[in-house]
Amino acid sequence: MEFSVTATDAPRIRAGCLVAGAFEGRDPTPAYRSLDAASDGRLGAIVRKAGFRAGAGKHLRVHALDGVAADSVLVVGCGPKGAMTPTRYHKIARAAAQAIAATGARSAAWSLGDVEVDGRDLEWKSRVAVECLNEAAYRFDAMRGEADDDRVPPPGRASIAVARAYRNEAAAGVATGRAIAAGVSLARDLGNLPGNICTPTYLAGEAKALAGRHPSVRFKALDEARMKRLGMGSLLSVARGSRQPPRLIVLEYRGAPRSHAPIVLVGKGVTFDSGGISIKPSATMDEMKFDMCGAASVIGAMEACATLGLPLNVVALAPACENLPDGNASKPGDIVTTMAGRTVEVLNTDAEGRLILCDALTYAERYKPDVVIDVATLTGACVIALGAHASGLFSNHQPLADALLTAGEHAGDRAWQMPLWDEYAEQLKSNFADVANIGGREAGAVTAASFLAKFASGQRWAHLDVAGTAWRSGKEKGATGRPVGLLCQYLLDRTRAADRTPAPAA
Ligand code: BES
Ligand code: MN
Ligand code: ZN
């Protein structure tokens, strides 16, 4: 979708569908007031007759108003005036964008920038508009041979309407939104591709293509031989059961002097997770093609970061492999040696994410990172704990956890912190090796994080379990692009916060 900024008054904007906000209790927004006046009170009369109450996210479409240039006006409810939190604005913006995408209008105009939001400026509101419109217009048709007639095409263009004095602010928001939207769409595309196409090699090819588009990004990929030499026995043990060779994808973005320690993002890239010998039930196993969404999200965040040219150094690492059963696959009870030298008893081959991430976390140490953040569709237990509303956040460094929580709130891509107490790590004791790869039924998301924490000690580290947020199931099945929004917001925030926090004791 093409985005632009317009300073035209609402009644004179030409568009297939123009969005204007209304508060509960007949309290108009400036755009709504001007549309009502231009239509000689027709808009208000229709809205009243329809019994529209302006609850947050509710909407009503009014066609062909005399005195209004747009073909239709979409009145969007904003709830009671004066209670607009960023989270509520996000909810309203998402609802409005979904409604526009369903109208079949060829072009959209957005005048919800005149709704006051606590602590947020027009740049932020413009950016949110672009992200939400892009999210709603997203289609995944790469694998279709025939057009999908059941879905109306989304608008091809959208303009963000603001008062003349705010043009630059809005344009800045649109530029940021566009970059983040591109990162989100890339992550969704990679996630939605089937496992037979999106293999570790394919994922590496896409990362390489990204580096080709951005001179500030360098690509490399470690192959099996290199992993063997580095002693990544844990990552390699997962890849053993597949004919697809594993890759450790590396993207290095340079936006600051070399002396600046990088932010390292690590994304789980299991391109298909059958469970291995501890095989999963078949009912929804197709969804395990999404098990590389962590990798897709760090690649998507890199796309946005490089497009924005952020003054930071950022590294994305994506260990990528398939988890399949085979004569050569790992078996329950097998013991593998990690790059860190620690031995792991593989009691369940379906707990493979932590087995590839631990070696990637050890590899991350060579960058002497400022912080390390891993993103992984790690546990079904996290889906049970938090559902689709928040990603699970775990960290050994509270200032980093706080920064990520704030970034998630700000970006409409929330996380919720869970504990990492020593008591949980007790569950990972093994009778035969240094550690077991599972910790029993209780607190499955926490014991998985505790396993990773053992490989991140001495680093400022956080882990995002996105098993519940990275994709939707059922009728709306598909990758969401989360947590690209959160990651991008964190990176943007880091360009502002100059202060660094001291490293934790190892
Ligand atoms: N990729 C899965 C996690 C997952 C499962 C995400 C279902 C979303 C929905 C992961 O590799 C896995 O299989 N985890 C196991 C761990 C268990 C064996 C300790 C799980 O959650 O069942
Ligand atoms: Mn698994
Ligand atoms: Zn998995």
Side-chain angles (χ1 to χ4, degrees):
M1 181 159 7
E2 306 261 333
F3 295 99
S4 59
V5 175
T6 179
T8 310
D9 290 336
R12 293 182 38 242
I13 295 174
R14 293 188 184 284
C17 184
L18 165 67
V19 199
F23 293 106
E24 278 173 11
R26 308 261 148 79
D27 220 338
T29 59
Y32 182 95
R33 194 197 309 271
S34 72
L35 291 165
D36 190 39
S39 67
D40 256 338
R42 282 282 295 154
L43 178 60
I46 294 169
V47 166
R48 269 191 302 280
K49 246 191 200 138
F52 184 73
R53 306 263 292 278
K58 296 278 191 297
H59 47 82
L60 176 72
R61 191 171 178 213
V62 181
H63 293 267
L65 281 169
D66 279 340
V68 173
D71 298 338
S72 67
V73 172
L74 186 76
V75 181
V76 175
C78 296
K81 192 173 182 176
M84 191 58 77
T85 59
T87 303
R88 169 172 282 182
Y89 189 81
H90 258 291
K91 179 180 167 184
I92 291 163
R94 282 205 178 99
Q98 296 292 345
I100 292 168
T103 61
R106 303 252 297 279
S107 63
W110 184 276
S111 58
L112 290 175
D114 62 5
V115 175
E116 298 292 330
V117 182
D118 296 341
R120 297 290 185 266
D121 57 15
L122 195 64
E123 181 175 342
W124 183 83
K125 285 184 276 186
S126 307
R127 177 189 133 189
V128 168
V130 170
E131 289 181 59
C132 291
L133 286 163
N134 177 73
E135 179 183 358
Y138 178 85
R139 300 282 185 274
F140 182 73
D141 292 325
M143 303 305 295
R144 286 186 199 278
E146 294 165 11
D148 179 3
D149 297 330
D150 296 344
R151 296 189 75 177
V152 298
R157 292 172 279 126
S159 61
I160 311 300
V162 296
R164 194 163 294 278
Y166 294 106
R167 279 189 90 130
N168 292 342
E169 221 178 295
V174 167
T176 308
R178 214 186 261 134
I180 296 172
V184 169
S185 292
L186 174 58
R188 294 179 80 175
D189 283 346
L190 293 174
N192 285 330
L193 282 168
N196 61 326
I197 306 274
C198 187
T199 59
T201 311
Y202 180 93
L203 214 47
E206 289 297 299
K208 186 174 186 183
L210 186 158
R213 293 193 295 274
H214 300 283
S216 53
V217 179
R218 245 191 51 176
F219 161 85
K220 70 178 172 190
L222 312 195
D223 64 7
E224 232 168 329
R226 187 77 203 286
M227 292 177 198
K228 267 194 195 123
R229 271 183 271 131
L230 287 165
M232 296 182 164
S234 187
L235 202 174
L236 286 165
S237 78
V238 179
R240 286 173 71 94
S242 165
R243 302 205 181 168
Q244 293 293 335
R247 291 284 181 267
L248 178 61
I249 299 164
V250 182
L251 288 171
E252 298 168 357
Y253 166 75
R254 270 283 306 277
R258 206 175 286 278
S259 58
H260 287 210
I263 294 165
V264 177
L265 307 175
V266 182
K268 172 180 173 182
V270 175
T271 58
F272 189 77
D273 179 14
S274 72
I277 297 298
S278 313
I279 200 159
K280 289 179 178 294
S282 45
T284 57
M285 206 205 270
D286 66 291
E287 296 188 11
M288 283 300 121
K289 72 172 184 177
F290 295 119
D291 211 18
M292 36 56 69
C293 282
S297 75
V298 304
I299 293 171
M302 274 309 232
E303 172 72 32
C305 178
T307 303
L308 292 168
L310 299 184
L312 301 166
N313 293 330
V314 185
V315 176
L317 300 178
C321 67
E322 270 188 340
N323 185 23
L324 292 182
D326 175 83
N328 199 39
S330 278
K331 307 167 292 297
D334 283 3
I335 295 178
V336 302
T337 304
T338 61
M339 184 179 173
R342 193 175 279 120
T343 57
V344 180
E345 186 184 13
V346 181
L347 288 171
N348 189 318
T349 65
D350 199 9
E352 85 297 340
R354 61 199 82 180
L355 293 176
I356 69 171
L357 289 166
C358 65
D359 280 343
L361 287 171
T362 303
Y363 185 77
E365 288 174 10
R366 68 177 49 203
Y367 288 96
K368 304 206 171 17
D370 182 56
V371 300
V372 179
I373 302 163
D374 81 67
V375 184
T377 50
L378 203 62
T379 65
C382 194
V383 189
I384 302 301
L386 298 172
H389 302 295
S391 303
L393 170 66
F394 304 81
S395 181
N396 62 6
H397 189 60
Q398 197 54 38
L400 173 59
D402 291 338
L404 291 168
L405 290 170
T406 307
E409 284 288 343
H410 196 145
D413 183 3
R414 287 189 286 188
W416 187 258
Q417 193 174 2
M418 313 253 273
L420 253 187
W421 301 319
D422 294 343
E423 286 80 351
Y424 291 104
E426 296 285 313
Q427 291 174 231
L428 292 168
K429 289 222 159 110
S430 159
N431 284 353
F432 303 102
D434 299 337
V435 63
N437 80 327
I438 55 169
R441 259 172 51 81
E442 292 179 5
V446 188
T447 53
S450 300
F451 180 94
L452 296 178
K454 291 180 186 295
F455 296 85
S457 62
Q459 314 210 48
R460 290 181 288 256
W461 160 82
H463 157 62
L464 286 162
D465 191 333
V466 296
T469 53
W471 76 86
R472 276 185 278 268
S473 307
K475 219 169 133 285
E476 300 286 305
K477 195 193 296 183
T480 61
R482 292 177 71 180
V484 174
L486 182 159
L487 293 173
C488 289
Q489 186 62 54
Y490 173 74
L491 295 176
L492 282 165
D493 292 345
R494 285 299 305 267
T495 67
R496 284 165 206 141
D499 56 323
R500 301 257 145 83
T501 31

